[in-house]
Each structure stands twice: as structure tokens, then as C-alpha cells.
Amino acid sequence: MAKNLFRIFRSFQSFVSLPFTKNQVAHPCASVAFRTTFDRTMVQALASFFSPKSRDFSLPNSSWGEEMIRLYEFYNNQCEGENHGGEWRRLPSYNRSLKYASGGVYLSKIIQSKARLFTRNIREPGAAFEYVVFVSKDEQRCVCVFQSGHLLEGPPGHVHGGAIATMIDTVTGSHASILSAPVMTANLNINYRSPIPLGNTVLVESCLDKREGRKLFISCKVTSTDGSKLHTEATALFLSINVSHLLRG
């Protein structure tokens, strides 16, 4: 047993010292020689556990279609930066750890290291939720470019209503968090107007209607990218909360 652990540790040392290129990162263990499948699995798990970097899932990947990329570039070119006007800014979407776990198995550090934001819990690019969120400089408007994957099918050939609701909650919640973090959803009212074909790219847009103390009222619509078809519209109520509420459960 001690010999096996030593061999795995040596393999891990070799793994973390490799000068990876972009292509190698996609298959990080390809350049390391392993004696067994068990060795490979353990080294990959160790690498994932000890990696200090969080991955930003809102950046383009190979699954994005032409319309998704076009709209990403359109809004990204308007973001703050040396050569941009600064009307918009992109919101990164990282994998995250469980910061507020309150008991049981979730206190395990290994379990925490594997935790993911719900819409980012499918590892296969393009299989489920592919999206990027931009917020306007004055923080009154938010827009999301969303491409649905094959795992989101509900009615044959179309996106599941629950997946659409998830995206609306994600976008309006992100918007509310920019305005008054942290927040929690108090009410979400959705009207489905026309189905979204599976694989299509759509726009999910939200705007702040009003604020009343801790309450934020936000409206949202899901449309085709040219704005000619309304797929879904919704209203949401968010409450600004104290972090202690999360700790109490």
C-alpha cells in the first residue's frame, strides 16, 4: 500500500510540473506515463483537488454556435477596457465551493472541492446550459446570451420549461446580486409564450422595475436573437439578505 501511494505521489509531482500548452490542458494527463488506471484516476483527482484556479465558464468554447459567438463578441466589444466604450461588463461564472455547508457529508473538503454552480454541473461542453451574462454600466439592464444543449430537452425538439425557468432565475438573480448582494428569490412568475427550439441561441434580458427597501422587482423576457419572437416573459421578486441567513438555513 505504501509503495502504491508513493508511486501515485511521484506521478502527481510529474503531472503538476509539466509545462502545459492550451491543447494539453484539455487532456492534462496525456503526457504522463501511468502504470495502472487507478494511478491515472488518483492523479487526476489530486490535480483537481489541489488546483488553485477557478474556471470561468462564461468564456467561448468549441460548442458555441456562430450566433452565440457573434453576440458574445458584440457585447464583449462594448465592455470596459482600453479599446471599449464601457457600456457593458461581462459577469464571470466560476465553478464554486460550498462556503456555507452546515453539516453531514457536505462538511467534507473533498465534497466541497467538487461542488458546482447548478447551471455549470454538466462537464460536457454544449450539453446543457451554455450562456454568458452582461450587465449595463448603469446596472439597470442585464442581458444573457443563452444556447441550449441536448440534455435540456422537454417537448420533443424543444427546451424544457424548467430549464427556461432556471435561466430566468439565473439572469434575474445575477442582476439583483449586482444591485444588492446577497439576495434570494422570493417570487418568480413565468408566462411561456412560444417554445424554444433545442440548440437555438436566444437572449434573456432583465431590467429593474423598482426597489422597495430590501425588495427588488425585476422583469425579464426571453426572445429570439433578432427580437422578432417572444418566447417567455417573467417577473421576479428578490430580497436582499444578510449572510447570517444562509448560515442559519
Side-chain angles (χ1 to χ4, degrees):
M1 179 66 179
K3 289 183 178 180
N4 288 338
L5 290 175
F6 177 74
R7 187 174 70 247
I8 293 168
F9 179 72
R10 290 298 298 274
S11 296
F12 178 69
Q13 283 184 316
S14 299
F15 168 77
V16 297
S17 65
L18 284 174
F20 294 132
T21 64
K22 288 185 178 180
N23 290 334
Q24 286 174 316
V25 170
H27 303 283
C29 295
S31 301
V32 182
F34 299 97
R35 293 188 180 183
T36 67
T37 302
F38 175 75
D39 288 0
R40 181 187 298 275
T41 302
M42 288 299 296
V43 169
Q44 289 174 330
L46 285 169
S48 175
F49 180 72
F50 288 107
S51 174
K53 295 182 179 180
S54 296
R55 177 182 169 190
D56 185 352
F57 285 86
S58 66
L59 296 174
N61 64 60
S62 60
S63 74
W64 285 21
E66 291 182 3
E67 186 69 354
M68 181 86 172
I69 293 174
R70 182 186 71 80
L71 288 167
Y72 169 84
E73 292 177 346
F74 172 78
Y75 286 104
N76 199 52
N77 286 337
Q78 300 181 59
C79 287
E80 296 177 352
E82 184 178 349
N83 299 317
H84 304 312
E87 181 183 354
W88 297 89
R89 67 185 175 99
R90 182 180 63 86
L91 302 182
S93 179
Y94 297 110
N95 52 309
R96 60 173 59 171
S97 61
L98 297 176
K99 295 182 179 179
Y100 306 109
S102 58
V105 69
Y106 294 104
L107 290 180
S108 163
K109 296 297 182 182
I110 294 178
I111 294 297
Q112 289 187 32
S113 72
K114 294 180 180 296
R116 280 170 170 258
L117 185 66
F118 174 70
T119 52
R120 303 299 187 185
N121 64 1
I122 303 297
R123 292 183 179 274
E124 179 187 347
F129 299 92
E130 289 290 343
Y131 67 94
V132 55
V133 179
F134 296 90
V135 62
S136 67
K137 193 172 184 179
D138 62 8
E139 299 184 343
Q140 300 303 304
R141 275 208 315 138
C142 192
V143 64
C144 167
V145 185
F146 167 51
Q147 176 185 291
S148 56
H150 65 276
L151 294 181
L152 301 185
E153 185 175 32
H158 293 84
V159 182
H160 193 288
I164 298 171
T166 294
M167 282 308 305
I168 291 174
D169 190 38
T170 296
V171 175
T172 54
S174 296
H175 193 181
S177 294
I178 292 294
L179 296 168
S180 182
V183 298
M184 294 192 76
T185 310
N187 179 269
L188 188 60
N189 185 33
I190 300 175
N191 291 308
Y192 297 97
R193 301 302 186 189
S194 62
I196 301 173
L198 203 63
N200 271 24
T201 299
V202 296
L203 292 178
V204 186
E205 301 178 76
S206 73
C207 77
L208 176 67
D209 292 332
K210 62 178 179 178
R211 300 182 66 158
E212 293 180 356
R214 293 172 49 225
K215 298 180 180 179
L216 291 91
F217 296 85
I218 294 178
S219 58
C220 181
K221 63 179 180 179
V222 183
T223 67
S224 57
T225 56
D226 63 2
S228 64
K229 177 170 287 190
L230 175 64
H231 291 292
T232 313
E233 55 186 352
T235 56
L237 168 62
F238 290 90
L239 290 180
S240 176
I241 63 169
N242 190 288
V243 174
S244 61
H245 285 85
L246 297 175
L247 296 176
R248 289 199 298 266

